[in-house]
Amino acid sequence: MSLSERKKAIKLSADLAMASTRNKATRWSRALIANASSDGNSNKVLTEHVLGSSSPSQRVRKSFTTYSHSVRIRSCRNILRRNRVVHRTKDRVVACFAAKKLVQKRTRRLKSLLPGGKSMDDVCLVEETLDYIQSLRAQVEVMRCLVTASELMILNPS
């Protein structure tokens, strides 16, 4: 196995392990699992080994619930609708337009970075991003601990 293949396998197994700890409660974890299981035979084998023997796509479908999510989206949209302010001066309209374009550009970029982000609405995107960042931080900490432990084993073979 080449170095790049090992790197891909380690990253894939770390991503799958991180996604499996979320119990498919978040969209990004379901997207990671779905992408890994659809990418090829070797990935399917690794996915089944990390997650268990049942099909990952079946587990993703079983865990997907949209009712509470759609209710939350409707309530957020209603709040936004009530709080809209009509800008009367020309300067405020131009500034508002520029700010809106900047937010849209950054939102598109964030959606491209988050697994499964392209199918998320703006309300859910922030929640999912925060959860994903926490999981990535935990993953980095675990990998640091593994590196430290392996260095200690190399230095002090018993």
Side-chain angles (χ1 to χ4, degrees):
M1 186 181 257
S2 71
L3 183 63
S4 65
E5 289 173 336
R6 281 190 287 178
K7 179 182 167 185
K8 287 179 185 178
I10 289 170
K11 179 167 178 13
L12 179 64
S13 60
D15 285 345
L16 288 173
M18 181 176 64
S20 68
T21 61
R22 299 300 301 146
N23 266 345
K24 289 68 153 187
T26 57
R27 288 183 180 194
W28 65 261
S29 63
R30 291 192 301 264
L32 274 177
I33 292 169
N35 289 342
S37 62
S38 66
D39 275 350
N41 289 338
S42 62
N43 288 353
K44 285 181 184 178
V45 170
L46 184 60
T47 304
E48 288 178 4
H49 182 70
V50 171
L51 298 176
S53 61
S54 68
S55 168
S57 59
Q58 291 174 351
R59 282 190 297 229
V60 169
R61 272 190 231 115
K62 287 179 187 175
S63 67
F64 188 69
T65 58
T66 59
Y67 177 73
S68 63
H69 179 69
S70 63
V71 170
R72 185 175 39 188
I73 290 172
R74 266 189 259 128
S75 66
C76 290
R77 285 184 182 152
N78 290 337
I79 291 169
L80 289 173
R81 197 175 297 128
R82 279 181 280 172
N83 290 328
R84 279 193 189 139
V85 177
V86 177
H87 300 289
R88 300 197 186 277
T89 64
K90 190 175 186 179
D91 293 337
R92 288 182 115 184
V93 171
V94 171
C96 182
F97 180 76
K100 189 174 184 178
K101 285 293 181 188
L102 183 64
V103 167
Q104 287 174 344
K105 181 180 175 184
R106 289 182 178 175
T107 302
R108 277 194 307 272
R109 178 72 177 132
L110 184 58
K111 284 183 177 186
S112 70
L113 292 172
L114 191 69
K118 293 188 191 286
S119 64
M120 289 182 207
D121 59 356
D122 296 347
V123 176
C124 184
L125 183 67
V126 174
E127 251 178 52
E128 293 282 329
T129 302
L130 291 173
D131 189 69
Y132 187 58
I133 289 170
Q134 285 179 329
S135 296
L136 286 174
R137 283 184 178 161
Q139 185 182 29
V140 167
E141 188 60 35
V142 166
M143 288 188 169
R144 280 186 183 148
C145 291
L146 288 172
V147 167
T148 304
S150 66
E151 287 174 350
L152 289 174
M153 288 177 61
I154 291 171
L155 294 174
N156 299 324
S158 302

